[in-house]
């Protein structure tokens, strides 16, 4: 069974940084693209970024391009999202997604 | 690109309903790898359909994916009260951008 467990969420001031992590298990990790998807309070889903199985390609949504960086460590079956220059509109639940499975999410709140 | 879904739909128990997913750039094709996700209140989303019509092992047989009239479609045949949820589609553009639709709130009543 696939497990994806996010961590690293919390409260941060506008302009600050936060690093999210996702621990993956139950599948051959380096065979799969992985992604981060977020959901603002009371809003729909928004694709944030994804990364190829070998880490050789990354893509970002326009709202986060230049501020967020997705990375993975295939030796540790982990996925990260480095978030810089955070804005209030970045607030929401961030989900780790891969192998057609979703984690439970981690909450990010950007507020002064 | 903007992906459009019906904001809300209602289906009777045991009935059939199709949710659609359109694109502002033109017809949705298999090359857009449309996917469908279900989200119930307070829960994480789960994948129902990927790459147009493929199902993970947990997707009930009453759900099916297709292309219909230039849109991606999710058809629910034999609706159950437990199917009441928000449904989102996802479309891949050019291999480097992915866009979710705004979601459809499905009521089983």
């Amino acid at each position: 069974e696939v497990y994806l467990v996010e961590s690293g969420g919390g409260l941060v001031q506008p302009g600050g940084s936060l690093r999210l992590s996702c621990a993956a298990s139950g599948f051959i990790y380096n065979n799969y693209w992985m992604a981060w998807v977020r959901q603002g309070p009371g809003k729909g889903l928004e694709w944030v970024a994804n990364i190829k199985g070998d880490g050789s390609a990354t893509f970002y949504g326009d709202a986060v391009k230049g501020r967020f960086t997705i990375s993975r460590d295939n030796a540790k079956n982990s996925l990260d999202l480095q978030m810089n220059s955070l804005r209030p509109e970045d607030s929401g639940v961030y989900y780790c997604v891969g192998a057609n499975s979703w984690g439970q999410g981690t909450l990010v709140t950007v507020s002064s | 690109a903007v992906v459009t879904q019906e904001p809300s739909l209602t289906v009777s128990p045991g009935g059939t309903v199709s949710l659609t997913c359109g694109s502002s750039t033109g017809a949705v094709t298999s090359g857009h790898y449309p996917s469908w996700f279900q989200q119930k209140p307070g829960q994480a989303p789960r994948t129902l359909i990927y790459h147009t019509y493929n199902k993970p092992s947990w997707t009930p047989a009453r759900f099916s994916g297709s292309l219909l009239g230039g849109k991606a479609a999710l058809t629910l045949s034999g609706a159950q009260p437990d199917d009441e949820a928000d449904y989102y589609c996802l479309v891949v553009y050019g291999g480097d951008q992915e866009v979710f639709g705004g979601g459809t709130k499905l009521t089983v009543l």
Side-chain angles (χ1 to χ4, degrees), chain A residues 51-71:
Chain A
I51 184 168
K52 196 175 179 181
D54 62 2
S56 63
T58 58
F59 302 105
Y60 298 91
D62 289 342
V64 307
K65 203 171 294 184
R67 300 187 298 123
F68 290 12
T69 302
I70 188 172
S71 61

Side-chain angles (χ1 to χ4, degrees), chain A residues 18-68:
Chain A
L18 208 57
R19 190 175 185 90
L20 306 184
S21 294
C22 171
S25 61
F27 62 107
I28 303 174
Y29 184 66
N30 60 7
N31 281 0
Y32 288 87
W33 284 79
M34 296 294 296
W36 288 98
V37 173
R38 69 184 181 184
Q39 187 169 34
K43 296 187 176 180
L45 302 176
E46 180 183 10
W47 172 72
V48 173
N50 58 14
I51 184 168
K52 196 175 179 181
D54 62 2
S56 63
T58 58
F59 302 105
Y60 298 91
D62 289 342
V64 307
K65 203 171 294 184
R67 300 187 298 123
F68 290 12

Side-chain angles (χ1 to χ4, degrees), chain A residues 39 47 50 59-60 100 102, chain B residues 39 44 47 58 96-98:
Chain A
Q39 187 169 34
W47 172 72
N50 58 14
F59 302 105
Y60 298 91
N100 289 320
W102 295 62
Chain B
Q39 187 178 34
T47 303
W58 52 80
D96 63 352
Q97 283 289 310
E98 302 188 20

Side-chain angles (χ1 to χ4, degrees), chain A residues 5-9 19-23 36 78-81 96 106:
Chain A
V5 180
E6 302 93 339
S7 60
R19 190 175 185 90
L20 306 184
S21 294
C22 171
W36 288 98
S78 66
L79 179 73
D80 287 344
L81 184 69
C96 172
T106 187

